[in-house]
């Protein structure tokens, strides 16, 4: 019964007291109560949504800051890589052998002793085919690579070459990494080329060459010696190069003059 009907009924009952008539007005209305409960539920929901919106805005702001930081780091890495690339290109185009005649002859003898070791007396650049040093898709040096790297380290520590530094550079062919076992260790050819350069550096360190005389870099598939047209050309492009650098040479901001020998 509506409130209007209840009031009319109360007026018809003239014998009722004022207090009873008042009760007719004050009797709870279930529809009003239901509306109040719905309003309260909607208010609670709005409060929850407001809190969730505020949390989402804070999270978005945090993610934006992290993205800005990540982009800044990527920009720095790109700048460093560009600088290293320019230096590498310069080494290729203007390389001259800094070694003395006697030291050059010793490296040539090492090249004749180990066919897998290719030494250019005009530039002082040494090259290894990657499949000579490493199994396919791996960065662990083969046992057969130990001897030539040991003798290379010994030559670099000889009086004629002890003042020189080296840059170890890894290269791959253009084939993407597909095997899951290889991908778990080397996500891309970038990873594989740099990991192989690092392995050579660590091996030379183990064989006595001081780490502050060395640098490592990887160029993935982007510095081929010839087009990746077939298996033979791809084999040539899979390689590790070692540049012998004059004491004053700097690579990608690395100043050998600050090294502590």
């Amino acid at each position: 019964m509506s409130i209007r009907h209840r009031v009319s009924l109360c007026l018809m009952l003239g014998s009722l007291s004022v207090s009873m008539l008042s009760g007719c007005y004050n009797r709870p209305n279930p529809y009003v109560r239901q509306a109040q409960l719905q309003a309260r539920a909607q208010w609670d929901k709005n409060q929850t949504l407001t809190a969730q919106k505020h949390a989402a805005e804070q999270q978005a702001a945090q993610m934006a800051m992290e993205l800005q930081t990540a982009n800044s780091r990527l920009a720095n890495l790109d700048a460093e890589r560009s600088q290293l690339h320019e230096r590498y290109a310069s080494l290729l185009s203007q390389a001259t052998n800094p070694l003395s005649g006697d030291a050059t002859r010793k490296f040539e003898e090492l090249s004749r002793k180990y066919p897998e070791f290719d030494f250019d007396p005009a530039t002082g650049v040494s090259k290894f085919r990657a499949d000579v040093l490493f199994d396919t898709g791996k960065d662990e040096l083969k046992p057969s690579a130990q001897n030539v790297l040991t003798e290379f380290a010994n030559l670099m520590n000889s009086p004629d070459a002890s003042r020189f530094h080296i840059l170890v550079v890894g290269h791959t062919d253009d084939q993407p990494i597909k095997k899951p076992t290889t991908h778990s260790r080397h996500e891309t050819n970038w990873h594989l080329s740099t990991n192989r350069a690092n392995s050579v550096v660590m091996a030379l360190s183990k064989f006595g060459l001081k780490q502050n005389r060395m640098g490592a870099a990887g160029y993935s598939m982007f510095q081929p010696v010839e087009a990746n047209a077939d298996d033979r050309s791809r084999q040539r492009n899979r390689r590790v190069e070692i540049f012998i650098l004059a004491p004053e040479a700097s690579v990608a901001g690395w100043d050998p003059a600050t090294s502590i020998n």
Side-chain angles (χ1 to χ4, degrees):
M1 180 181 294
S2 67
I3 294 176
R4 182 173 58 83
H5 290 163
R6 286 201 301 271
V7 171
S8 298
L9 180 60
C10 288
L11 292 174
M12 291 173 62
L13 300 176
S15 60
L16 292 178
S17 65
V18 175
S19 61
M20 291 179 67
L21 182 61
S22 176
C24 289
Y25 285 109
N26 295 332
R27 185 174 180 180
N29 182 353
Y31 297 104
V32 173
R33 180 59 178 168
Q34 183 179 6
Q36 291 174 336
L37 292 175
Q38 290 176 344
R40 177 65 185 186
Q42 185 62 45
W43 185 86
D44 290 340
K45 183 178 180 180
N46 290 342
Q47 290 296 104
T48 301
L49 291 175
T50 299
Q52 291 176 345
K53 179 184 177 183
H54 181 65
E57 289 173 347
Q58 287 185 322
Q59 184 178 12
Q62 180 65 28
M63 292 177 65
M65 291 179 59
E66 293 176 357
L67 179 61
Q68 184 178 3
T69 301
N71 287 336
S72 178
R73 290 176 179 173
L74 285 175
N76 290 336
L77 288 174
D78 284 342
E80 291 177 5
R81 190 176 72 181
S82 297
Q83 188 178 11
L84 185 57
H85 171 72
E86 291 174 4
R87 178 57 183 168
Y88 174 74
S90 176
L91 286 171
L92 287 178
S93 62
Q94 303 177 10
T96 57
N97 184 2
L99 296 169
S100 66
D102 188 47
T104 296
R105 284 190 295 273
K106 291 179 180 178
F107 276 97
E108 289 179 307
E109 291 173 4
L110 186 66
S111 178
R112 287 191 291 270
K113 183 176 179 180
Y114 296 99
E116 67 271 22
F117 175 72
D118 181 18
F119 176 76
D120 185 351
T123 63
V125 177
S126 305
K127 295 182 181 180
F128 297 88
R129 296 193 311 275
D131 54 357
V132 171
L133 298 178
F134 306 97
D135 289 324
T136 302
K138 296 185 178 181
D139 65 343
E140 297 88 2
L141 284 163
K142 292 181 179 180
S144 58
Q146 307 294 318
N147 290 338
V148 64
L149 290 178
T150 299
E151 293 200 40
F152 181 90
N154 290 339
L155 283 178
M156 289 301 300
N157 282 329
S158 67
D160 288 336
S162 60
R163 64 192 184 94
F164 296 107
H165 298 78
I166 67 168
L167 173 65
V168 182
V169 182
H171 302 269
T172 70
D173 59 26
D174 65 340
Q175 299 299 297
I177 294 177
K178 297 179 180 178
K179 291 183 178 180
T181 53
T182 303
H183 190 271
S184 64
R185 290 179 54 84
H186 317 291
E187 186 176 346
T188 67
N189 279 322
W190 282 110
H191 296 78
L192 180 59
S193 63
T194 53
N195 289 342
R196 283 179 167 175
N198 290 336
S199 292
V200 172
V201 165
M202 297 312 297
L204 293 174
S205 173
K206 176 183 175 182
F207 302 145
L209 202 57
K210 290 184 178 181
Q211 292 188 19
N212 63 354
R213 295 176 61 192
M214 296 186 284
Y219 283 93
S220 183
M221 65 183 119
F222 299 109
Q223 297 290 336
V225 292
E226 60 181 85
N228 288 284
D230 50 34
D231 290 341
R232 184 198 63 81
S233 58
R234 289 189 176 93
Q235 184 183 49
R236 288 201 64 206
N237 290 330
R238 296 191 300 268
R239 67 199 190 279
V240 173
E241 298 173 330
I242 302 178
F243 292 85
I244 298 176
L245 306 177
E248 66 276 7
S250 63
V251 178
W254 167 45
D255 185 359
T258 64
S259 300
I260 301 176
N261 295 318

